[in-house]
Amino acid sequence: MARADEIYTLAAGFSAAGAPDEAALRALCGAAEVELTNRLRRDVTAEDCGACFICAAAMLAAANYRETAGMGSVQAFRVGDVSVTPGAGSARALRSAAER
């Protein structure tokens, strides 16, 4: 599987958006891959990082997707007997994990 496809597959899972907009998420995956590649030291490649690079790019893309889809800003809400609070998959948590 190509690296772009691996990043997309993970990002779709991290995005927690049900069926994400594939074109938008793929574009964000490509942007995350370029951003992280540019942040690597000159003597390190994405291939050197292996699965860590793929996971970080997927987390960054998913965080960006959640933010642009309006899913990154919900603190908590309650409607009748149903309450929603963000968990570890919030956009901020994904971005922090990608940075680490």
Side-chain angles (χ1 to χ4, degrees):
M1 180 184 297
R3 183 169 57 215
D5 291 330
E6 290 181 82
I7 293 170
Y8 172 79
T9 299
L10 282 175
F14 289 138
S15 70
D21 177 340
E22 183 175 348
L25 185 55
R26 281 194 183 275
L28 290 169
C29 287
E33 184 175 5
V34 169
E35 178 181 340
L36 293 180
T37 298
N38 290 336
R39 293 174 67 180
L40 292 173
R41 293 188 324 246
R42 294 187 193 275
D43 61 332
V44 177
T45 66
E47 290 79 18
D48 293 337
C49 300
C52 291
F53 181 89
I54 292 167
C55 191
M59 288 178 172
L60 183 57
N64 290 338
Y65 185 84
R66 290 174 62 90
E67 287 173 345
T68 59
M71 296 183 292
S73 61
V74 173
Q75 296 299 317
F77 66 90
R78 182 177 183 87
V79 178
D81 293 333
V82 178
S83 63
V84 176
T85 56
S90 71
R92 184 175 306 141
L94 285 170
R95 186 176 309 289
S96 294
E99 291 288 330
R100 285 193 301 274

